Amino acid sequence: MIEVRIELADRSYPVLIGAGARHRLVEVLPGGVERVAVVTQSSIGATVDVDVPSRTFVIEQGEQAKSLATVEELCREFSQMGLTRHDCVVAVGGGMVTDLAGFAAAIYHRGTPVVHVSTTLLGQVDAAIGGKTGANLPEGKNLVGAFWQPAAVLCDTELLVALPPREYRSGTGEMAKYHFLGDRVGMPDVALEDLPLDERVAYCVELKGRVVGADEREGGLRNILNYGHTLGHALEIAGGFDLRHGEAVAIGLHFAALLAEHLGRIDADRVEEHRRVLSFYELPQELPAGSDLDALVALMGRDKKAIGGLRFALDGPRGVEVVDVDASDVEAVLRAMADRSVAAEEEP
Ligand SMILES: NC(=O)c1ccc[n+]([C@@H]2O[C@H](COP(=O)([O-])OP(=O)(O)OC[C@H]3O[C@@H](n4cnc5c(N)ncnc54)[C@H](O)[C@@H]3O)[C@@H](O)[C@H]2O)c1
Ligand SMILES: [Zn+2]
């Protein structure tokens, strides 16, 4: 079992990574807890054991259930079981469950501890780490939420074998971005591809932990975690492409590398390194056929992390950093990328 500590300004918490990590729950529950509310989904086979009375609440699948109505339902159920601020919520699931249960915990009795037992690859390297929780509104995804750091996180890599293959691949898209972010936070220079899965997950957790520790509330550095996400989000919103989040991010990473090369920030070898990592994970790299480039540029300009103009996390001599880019450069690189995708498709 690998233990990574996330160091925040005023406290720290453990993340345990490895096969069977879920069985360590009792050890990481806050002291004095008298009841536990477990939140999970029916498709998640994982059960957890606790040594105090507990109730399990099963939430629906899919983003439409990631709603304030579900949060209210959970809080009412917590109340009915007599949960107090001195007890604990335990989220067992992927990002959807940890986001929702984390948000319910953040507001229940003005803040009740939560432990995340993360069961998806995307959850383990991203959603369960860093304290962002939330729900969707009909107007958009993750528009309400709170920063609420967990008391501990358990990343049980044994559960990943049961993941539907596309969910696993979506997680690798998120993992791919971490291959390029280590420099900024002084991570040791390692060939991530050569590490066993649990060590690779631990590297991503440690890296995200360092970024979050330095910027808990997304004031600056945390934006580098958005690497590959500007085009990724635009592809997801433009829709109709049947892309999972991590797959869209993978295409976004390739685009970000090409844009950085176009701007003279990185050389062709570094672009090739991006392609090599994406191939290693068998992720898509090129724009989906039929992409409406004008629509993508318009959507990128609207990305909630862009404050005026087009903002990208881009690789460069000082590592990945957030830079403003002219729309004309973005369009030129997107167009060249689209031409390449078409050419690639026409090859026999
Ligand atoms: N808080 C953050 O910082 C953050 C970061 C990234 C994403 N997110 C959020 O995370 C969500 C996506 O998370 P996700 O990719 O983990 O998807 P998810 O939680 O929706 O899970 C995907 C599917 O896999 C199933 N599943 C989960 N674990 C399983 C297992 N071990 N075996 C079999 N099936 C299993 C789920 O029930 C679900 O049907 C989105 O709502 C997104 O907004 C949050
Ligand atoms: Zn992401």
Side-chain angles (χ1 to χ4, degrees):
M1 198 71 49
I2 306 170
E3 175 167 347
V4 171
R5 282 204 84 81
I6 308 290
E7 304 282 347
L8 304 170
D10 54 349
R11 62 188 199 92
S12 72
Y13 61 88
V15 183
L16 299 183
I17 303 128
R22 68 188 183 283
H23 302 304
R24 305 279 292 266
L25 178 58
V26 170
E27 285 168 52
V28 300
L29 282 179
V33 164
E34 288 178 1
R35 288 169 212 80
V36 163
V38 177
V39 180
T40 190
Q41 283 174 318
S42 60
S43 57
I44 298 160
T47 52
V48 287
D49 291 317
V50 285
D51 54 0
V52 292
S54 69
R55 291 273 316 271
T56 296
F57 305 108
V58 177
I59 59 174
E60 297 293 316
Q61 307 280 337
E63 287 288 326
Q64 65 288 358
K66 193 178 168 185
S67 65
L68 285 174
T70 307
V71 173
E72 179 179 3
E73 191 147 321
L74 284 174
C75 289
R76 291 185 59 192
E77 285 166 331
F78 296 167
S79 180
Q80 286 157 22
M81 76 177 276
L83 198 78
T84 77
R85 194 153 43 86
H86 308 292
D87 295 322
C88 191
V89 174
V90 174
V92 182
M96 158 132 178
V97 174
T98 54
D99 271 19
L100 262 185
F103 186 32
I107 60 176
Y108 183 72
H109 284 202
R110 300 191 181 78
T112 302
V114 65
V115 171
H116 294 317
V117 180
S118 182
T119 66
T120 64
L121 185 57
L122 187 129
Q124 296 184 1
V125 300
D126 194 5
I129 312 294
K132 282 211 258 172
T133 71
N136 303 331
L137 294 178
E139 285 72 18
K141 281 192 66 180
N142 299 325
L143 290 182
V144 287
F147 286 101
W148 190 243
Q149 298 289 347
V153 181
L154 303 178
C155 296
D156 195 334
T157 49
E158 191 173 75
L159 300 172
L160 300 179
V161 292
L163 269 185
R166 285 201 72 189
E167 297 300 341
Y168 185 84
R169 208 144 62 98
S170 184
T172 61
E174 207 68 66
M175 198 171 225
K177 85 179 176 196
Y178 290 105
H179 286 240
F180 305 99
L181 300 179
D183 289 354
R184 278 305 299 279
V185 287
M187 292 292 288
D189 205 9
V190 289
L192 266 187
E193 297 97 302
D194 298 337
L195 297 182
L197 181 65
D198 53 353
E199 288 179 34
R200 225 179 316 141
V201 170
Y203 179 95
C204 299
V205 167
E206 164 102 50
L207 200 165
K208 181 158 183 186
R210 288 191 191 191
V211 173
V212 168
D215 178 17
E216 217 174 304
R217 287 177 174 251
E218 206 158 54
L221 183 66
R222 204 161 164 155
N223 290 326
I224 68 168
L225 297 171
N226 224 25
Y227 193 40
H229 280 61
T230 307
L231 178 61
H233 282 148
L235 286 167
E236 284 181 283
I237 298 167
F241 297 128
D242 186 30
L243 287 172
R244 288 288 195 283
H245 176 69
E247 295 171 328
V249 169
I251 299 168
L253 286 170
H254 185 203
F255 172 71
L258 292 168
L259 184 57
E261 184 191 29
H262 175 82
L263 297 172
R265 297 175 55 87
I266 61 172
D267 61 15
D269 283 350
R270 184 70 169 164
V271 178
E272 199 45 47
E273 206 173 321
H274 283 73
R275 293 200 188 102
R276 192 172 46 70
V277 168
L278 297 174
S279 308
F280 171 76
Y281 289 115
E282 296 175 17
L283 287 159
Q285 306 183 12
E286 302 296 347
L287 288 171
S291 297
D292 178 341
L293 305 191
D294 294 334
L296 289 177
V297 174
L299 284 166
M300 284 193 276
R302 257 180 32 195
D303 195 73
K304 72 175 171 202
K305 284 169 186 144
I307 309 156
L310 286 160
R311 284 213 143 169
F312 284 86
L314 290 183
D315 201 1
R318 287 173 301 276
V320 173
E321 57 192 349
V322 175
V323 290
D324 290 311
V325 185
D326 283 347
S328 59
D329 288 314
V330 174
E331 278 163 17
V333 175
L334 205 54
R335 220 158 287 287
M337 199 179 175
D339 292 344
R340 277 165 43 118
S341 316
V342 172
E345 250 178 36
E346 280 169 358
E347 268 169 33

